[in-house]
Amino acid sequence: RLREFYDKKREEGKPFRVAIIACVNKLLHWIYALLKSNKPFQDLA
């Protein structure tokens, strides 16, 4: 899912570093949500 998000950002014309930072932010949000809910990771893709 993260690779799809990265590819979408690149297709939008975002530079490499901007797309990578967007992926990092998304990953951090996922990690925070997992820690806050205290549930195991389940990939829904």
Side-chain angles (χ1 to χ4, degrees), residues 1-40:
R1 290 173 48 188
L2 202 54
R3 179 63 190 217
E4 293 169 3
F5 181 73
Y6 169 79
D7 290 337
K8 185 181 100 172
K9 290 296 174 187
R10 291 294 286 168
E11 288 172 6
E12 291 174 0
K14 304 288 185 197
F16 171 77
R17 289 187 189 270
V18 173
I20 291 295
I21 295 300
C23 290
V24 169
N25 283 334
K26 183 173 275 296
L27 190 57
L28 286 173
H29 281 98
W30 288 349
I31 292 169
Y32 178 75
L34 288 172
L35 291 174
K36 188 173 180 183
S37 67
N38 201 21
K39 293 183 181 177

